[in-house]
Amino acid sequence: MKKFLNDPVDFVEEMLDGIYRAHPQLTYVADDMHCMVTAKPKSGKVGLATGGGSGHLPLFLGYVGEGMLDGAAVGGVFQSPSAQQVYEVTKHIDQGAGVVYIYGNYTGDIINFDMAAELADLDGIKVTQVVGNDDIASSIVGEEHKRRGVAGIFFVFKAAGAAAAEGFSLDEVTRIADKARLRTRTIGVALSSCVVPEIGHATFSIGPDEMEIGMGIHGEPGISRKKLAPADSVIDEMMERVFAEQSFSDKDEVAVLVNGLGGTPKEELYILFRRVSQLLGERGVTAKHVWIGEFATAMEMAGASISILHLDEELDRLVGAPANTPFFNHYKA
């Protein structure tokens, strides 16, 4: 696959350099571009940090800004940031009220964020952790702790970021983040592979007329590979699994995220949302907040994911709160 590259080894560094040049409200600490923070952290506010591998923009770096996150540590393509990088971000964003880590359920991330929290504790910085695990295709009901964190973590960022901006305490911000996590379900479908620049070839093989339901954002195996079907049929199969895990009543409200994985036109994402909306409507459920676009990608992988957050009054208000980051802007109507 053709790519706009110089030396593939420099892919992440040059990407980060471009982001900082384009968005001067962001900066980095410890002389390490992988340690992104807001240029002016708000005094006295609970800090929010995330992190993970590169190759998923706008996840994770794209949500650092007003009303969302205060910092993000990013590793190489599909590689965890180091514990030291997470720790450097933590030190900068702590304003005396503690820091919440919000990141996906991947072994390397868990190890390094745990180590960073231990380093922060030695400095007297209180850290809590909320680990996203919204991907229902990656493990069965009853073993949710094994599930991957994917695009639905956006809702956790959004709710926790609004709570922190309102001045909630560390325990309350953590509670909000965890509630959003528990009420979010995601399932994806892939149509093609992606290419890690330093590797230079497709991560996996999938036929031109095939799709894989439940594939992960690093190319992890899904739950079924089959012939590509019409869009409505694909959404019917995906949403059937979501509805099996979320109990909705008439007049319930949800937030919906239709996320492109990097190589799917936005027009197609709207076709997918059309069917999601129809299925929700058949159950008397209202899509109160809707976002459609690229929120958590897998390089140039063709495909999409659907995330549903079951709202309550508190989450409705927080998810709908204003936010302003280089990759995401939301204003109250």
Side-chain angles (χ1 to χ4, degrees), residues 24-234:
Q25 68 270 46
L26 300 173
T27 187
Y28 55 92
V29 293
D31 198 30
D32 185 348
M33 286 194 294
H34 293 248
C35 302
M36 177 182 286
V37 296
T38 53
K40 296 180 180 179
K42 185 176 178 181
S43 179
K45 185 183 82 67
V46 170
L48 295 180
T50 191
S54 297
H56 301 301
L57 278 178
L59 195 71
F60 299 86
L61 306 172
Y63 302 121
V64 176
E66 297 176 18
M68 293 192 78
L69 305 173
D70 301 289
V74 65
V77 176
F78 301 170
Q79 299 173 11
S80 174
S82 71
Q84 186 67 34
Q85 288 167 333
V86 177
Y87 170 59
E88 295 295 344
V89 169
T90 306
K91 288 194 298 181
H92 179 83
I93 69 173
D94 176 57
Q95 299 297 304
V99 174
V100 183
Y101 291 165
I102 304 171
Y103 58 93
N105 190 20
Y106 299 94
T107 301
D109 293 331
I110 292 170
I111 291 171
N112 290 332
F113 274 87
D114 280 348
M115 291 176 62
E118 292 175 3
L119 293 171
D121 182 64
L122 294 175
D123 283 343
I125 301 172
K126 187 173 182 181
V127 171
T128 62
Q129 303 190 53
V130 175
V131 181
N133 61 336
D134 52 304
D135 184 0
I136 64 177
S138 52
S139 189
I140 60 174
V141 173
E143 295 186 353
E144 288 87 352
H145 64 284
K146 297 181 179 179
R147 290 179 170 178
R148 302 179 291 243
V150 286
I153 201 172
F154 164 82
F155 291 137
V156 184
F157 294 160
K158 189 71 188 64
E166 290 185 12
F168 285 33
S169 69
L170 179 65
D171 287 345
E172 281 293 283
V173 174
T174 306
R175 178 186 64 81
I176 291 293
D178 201 48
K179 179 161 74 166
R181 176 189 68 85
L182 289 168
R183 296 171 72 99
T184 298
R185 299 291 186 276
T186 299
I187 187 166
V189 56
L191 305 182
S192 74
S193 180
C194 57
V195 178
V196 174
E198 289 190 61
I199 296 176
H201 58 78
T203 303
F204 59 90
S205 177
I206 186 170
D209 62 343
E210 291 182 321
M211 63 179 183
E212 185 156 343
I213 303 289
M215 180 170 285
I217 58 174
H218 307 107
E220 300 97 332
I223 51 179
S224 65
R225 180 174 292 198
K226 57 185 65 177
K227 296 296 184 182
L228 182 62
D232 285 1
S233 297
V234 175

Side-chain angles (χ1 to χ4, degrees), residues 154-155 158 183 248-249 251-258 273 276-278 280-281 284-292 307-321 328 330-333:
F154 164 82
F155 291 137
K158 189 71 188 64
R183 296 171 72 99
F248 295 111
S249 301
K251 298 185 180 178
D252 275 2
E253 295 179 330
V254 298
V256 179
L257 181 73
V258 180
F273 172 72
V276 172
S277 178
Q278 289 174 344
L280 291 170
V285 178
T286 299
K288 179 75 176 292
H289 306 284
V290 176
W291 287 285
I292 299 171
S307 299
I308 305 292
L309 167 61
H310 194 173
L311 296 169
D312 63 6
E313 184 176 349
E314 183 177 48
L315 289 175
D316 176 25
R317 180 178 63 79
L318 294 170
V319 169
F328 177 77
H330 179 64
Y331 302 97
K332 279 191 173 181

